[in-house]
């Protein structure tokens, strides 16, 4: 069964090769080593290796012997297997990225829907806006729950606890079949949208835009279902597994008929890579589970609900008589070249200043008495000069940049004179 608790492992791409290669956790290696098939072929190789060293397979070195294996034949099968396996892995990864894009698009549409609904029908019709958004959220949540074939009692309780559905609505939805529940709830949201927009007397094209969002999410859900129902044909998968098995058998015998002590090591890692690619492709073929490579749906759904709730319920407490009051209090922007030290502060510079100043770190920004913001010019006049983190870094290159900017400015002045 699928789970929404998977979490993709975040790794450092700049880490050393050796450190990354020696990592065991959060890799496909544990899954491969749990498979009895892996140890079957490795034990087969060790038996051949030991029997050959004990002198029972001396004929394996004679070219005309029935026990001799020609590595040219093995190379042909290995090349075919590698091609088929790479093609299969690429296909699965493309499918994996498609499912990722469709899933993220659904979750992004939630906050966009609340964004548009509150603009066109908020205020006196906030209750209808909230109801339409609630049904939209419930429809998306139910879709991901339905990927587990049936919505569990815990998942129904989760919808009720997060105020996405009422118990009475749950009873109604339980009478429908799987894949129908999310469709019905999305339709509820569309009906509320129509009533909210008509009541708010918004432009007619607003309804079409909002309903198009619901229909688009519905199409994305159907696309995900269709993609999951159409994996790589079994006939191809069967041939690929057959080639892998034959290839491992030939490797187990061919690498076993050698006196090199490194033969078992080479076979172990060759088998690990071949089986690991197959294992990884199998995990990516259905990313709605609890494998390491599966989507972190629990985190995604939590953040989507949080972001949508913020857009839907936040309050702007200033200017209760409308935005015009706030607009009158906004000062004009300065038509001068901005000070990079006051605009751009990097995270590294902030950490550097925090380490130097400790808990007594100062800031050059001061809140305005109006409760909004203070223009940069007023900050410079009223605040004591404070050396910002970016200023510390920029001072190291100030001597070089000043001469560069002077050359550039002089070049512009020359152009103006020519004109």
């Amino acid at each position: 069964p699928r789970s929404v608790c998977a979490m993709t492992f975040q790794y450092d791409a700049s880490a050393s090769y050796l450190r990354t290669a020696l990592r065991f956790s959060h890799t496909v290696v544990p899954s491969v080593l749990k498979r009895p098939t892996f140890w079957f072929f490795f034990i087969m190789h060790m038996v051949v290796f030991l029997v050959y060293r004990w002198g029972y397979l001396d004929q394996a070195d004679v070219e005309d012997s029935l026990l001799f294996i020609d590595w040219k034949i093995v190379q042909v099968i290995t090349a075919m297997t590698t091609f088929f396996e790479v093609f299969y892995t690429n296909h699965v990864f493309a499918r994996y990225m498609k499912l990722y894009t469709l899933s993220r698009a659904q979750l992004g549409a939630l906050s966009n829907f609340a964004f548009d609904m509150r603009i066109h029908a908020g205020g006196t019709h906030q209750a209808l806006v909230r109801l339409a958004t609630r049904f939209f959220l419930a429809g998306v949540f139910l879709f991901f729950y339905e990927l587990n074939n049936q919505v569990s009692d815990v998942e129904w309780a989760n919808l009720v606890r997060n105020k996405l559905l009422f118990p009475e609505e749950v009873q109604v939805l339980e009478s429908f079949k799987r894949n129908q529940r999310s469709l019905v709830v999305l339709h509820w949201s569309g009906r509320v949208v129509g009533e909210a927009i008509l009541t708010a007397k918004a432009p007619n094209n607003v309804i079409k835009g909002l309903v198009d969002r619901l229909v688009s999410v519905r199409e994305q859900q159907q696309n995900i279902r269709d993609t999951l129902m159409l994996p790589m044909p079994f006939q191809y998968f069967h041939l690929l597994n057959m080639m892998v098995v034959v290839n491992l058998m030939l490797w187990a015998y061919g690498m076993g008929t050698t006196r090199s002590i490194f033969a078992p090591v080479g076979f172990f890692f060759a088998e690990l890579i071949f089986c690991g690619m197959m294992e990884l492709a199998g995990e990516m073929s259905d990313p709605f589970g609890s494998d390491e490579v599966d989507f972190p749906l629990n985190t995604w759904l939590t953040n989507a609900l949080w972001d949508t709730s913020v857009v839907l319920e936040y309050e702007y407490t200033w200017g209760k008589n409308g935005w015009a009051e706030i607009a009158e209090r906004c000062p004009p922007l300065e038509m001068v070249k901005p000070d990079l030290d006051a605009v751009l502060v990097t995270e590294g510079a902030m950490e550097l200043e925090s380490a130097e100043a400790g808990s007594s770190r100062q800031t050059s920004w001061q809140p305005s008495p109006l409760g909004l913001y203070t223009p940069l010019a007023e900050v410079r006049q009223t605040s004591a000069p404070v050396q910002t983190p970016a200023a510390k870094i920029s001072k190291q290159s100030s001597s070089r940049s000043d001469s560069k900017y002077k050359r550039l400015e002089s070049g512009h002045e020359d152009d103006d004179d020519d004109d």
Side-chain angles (χ1 to χ4, degrees):
R2 298 182 178 90
S3 172
V4 296
C5 298
M7 178 61 68
T8 303
F9 177 68
Q10 301 295 328
Y11 61 92
D12 182 12
S14 62
S16 66
Y17 302 140
L18 183 61
R19 179 182 178 184
T20 304
L22 295 179
R23 187 179 185 90
F24 185 78
S25 61
H26 302 290
T27 67
V28 75
V29 176
S31 300
V32 174
L33 297 182
K34 290 179 182 178
R35 285 189 172 270
T37 306
F38 176 86
W39 296 109
F40 169 79
F41 285 110
F42 185 73
I43 293 174
M44 174 183 174
H45 165 74
M46 291 302 301
V47 170
V48 174
F49 180 75
L50 293 176
V51 170
Y52 176 78
R53 289 184 63 87
W54 292 337
Y56 295 101
L57 290 176
D58 292 338
Q59 296 298 316
D61 294 329
V62 181
E63 187 172 352
D64 296 334
S65 173
L66 294 176
L67 298 179
F68 178 78
I69 183 171
D70 190 353
W71 277 103
K72 293 181 180 179
I73 300 176
V74 179
Q75 289 175 0
V76 173
I77 299 178
T78 300
M80 293 176 58
T81 305
T82 303
F83 173 80
F84 273 75
E85 187 167 351
V86 170
F87 179 82
Y88 173 69
T89 305
N90 287 337
H91 169 80
V92 171
F93 183 74
R95 186 170 178 265
Y96 179 85
M97 292 303 300
K98 178 182 178 181
L99 293 172
Y100 172 86
T101 302
L102 293 172
S103 300
R104 294 298 299 168
Q106 284 190 70
L107 300 174
L110 292 171
S111 56
N112 294 339
F113 179 84
F115 192 98
D116 290 345
M117 281 293 295
R118 190 168 183 186
I119 289 177
H120 296 293
T124 57
H125 304 90
Q126 181 67 14
L128 290 175
V129 173
R130 185 180 295 112
L131 179 60
T133 307
R134 180 171 67 86
F135 284 151
F136 194 7
L137 282 164
V140 173
F141 273 59
L142 272 175
F143 166 74
F144 287 110
Y145 290 161
E146 287 173 348
L147 291 178
N148 195 27
N149 296 326
Q150 293 295 334
V151 183
S152 65
D153 294 338
V154 175
E155 291 167 340
W156 285 120
N158 183 56
L159 293 173
V160 175
R161 183 177 64 255
N162 287 290
K163 302 178 182 179
L164 299 182
L165 289 175
F166 292 136
E168 297 81 3
E169 295 168 340
V170 171
Q171 294 179 0
V172 174
L173 292 173
E174 285 181 334
S175 62
F176 294 97
K177 296 182 180 179
R178 186 176 72 93
N179 301 338
Q180 295 178 345
R181 296 160 182 162
S182 59
L183 175 62
V184 170
V185 178
L186 289 178
H187 192 260
W188 289 354
S189 179
R191 294 172 61 181
V192 178
V193 167
E195 182 175 344
I197 298 303
L198 292 176
T199 305
K201 298 181 180 180
N204 295 331
N205 60 345
V206 173
I207 296 181
K208 182 180 184 304
L210 290 169
V211 173
D212 285 345
R213 288 190 183 276
L214 296 172
V215 174
S216 176
V217 168
R218 171 58 187 167
E219 292 175 349
Q220 291 164 358
Q221 293 178 352
Q222 187 62 45
N223 201 345
I224 290 177
R225 289 195 181 99
D226 294 341
T227 302
L228 291 175
M229 293 296 294
L230 186 64
M232 179 69 75
F234 176 74
Q235 289 78 5
Y236 184 98
F237 187 70
H238 172 259
L239 286 175
L240 178 59
N241 278 266
M242 185 170 61
M243 285 189 292
V244 170
V245 169
V246 172
N247 197 79
L248 292 178
M249 290 179 61
L250 293 176
W251 282 357
Y253 180 82
M255 294 184 184
T257 55
T258 177
R259 298 189 182 280
S260 174
I261 193 62
F262 296 103
V265 178
F267 176 81
F268 179 87
F269 285 103
E271 182 188 12
L272 182 65
I273 293 172
F274 252 55
C275 295
M277 291 296 293
M278 292 292 294
E279 189 73 22
L280 180 60
E283 292 180 358
M284 289 193 300
S285 63
D286 185 1
F288 300 102
S290 56
D291 296 323
E292 286 282 350
V293 298
D294 289 340
F295 301 152
L297 287 180
N298 191 44
T299 302
W300 288 359
L301 294 175
T302 300
N303 292 336
L305 176 57
W306 191 3
D307 295 342
T308 305
S309 300
V310 169
V311 174
L312 189 64
E313 304 294 346
Y314 81 90
E315 294 184 3
Y316 190 83
T317 57
W318 307 298
K320 296 183 179 179
N321 296 327
W323 292 104
E325 178 184 354
I326 305 300
E328 294 176 356
R329 297 160 64 180
C330 291
L333 299 178
E334 298 180 359
M335 294 190 297
V336 296
K337 182 180 178 181
D339 184 4
L340 185 62
D341 298 341
V343 175
L344 178 63
V345 180
T346 62
E347 183 179 354
M350 294 181 65
E351 294 177 354
L352 176 62
E353 185 190 31
S354 177
E356 293 178 355
S359 60
S360 61
R361 184 168 62 90
Q362 294 178 318
T363 177
S364 60
W365 180 86
Q366 297 293 335
S368 170
L370 299 177
L372 297 173
Y373 60 87
T374 303
L376 185 60
E378 296 181 19
V379 172
R380 291 171 177 168
Q381 295 174 3
T382 59
S383 303
V386 178
Q387 191 176 16
T388 61
K392 295 181 179 181
I393 296 178
S394 63
K395 273 189 174 182
Q396 299 175 0
S397 58
S398 60
S399 60
R400 298 190 300 269
S401 59
D402 288 344
S403 60
K404 178 180 178 182
Y405 285 127
K406 288 180 180 179
R407 291 195 301 269
L408 292 175
E409 291 175 357
S410 62
H412 289 302
E413 291 175 357
D414 295 341
D415 295 340
D416 295 339
D417 294 340
D418 295 338
D419 295 339

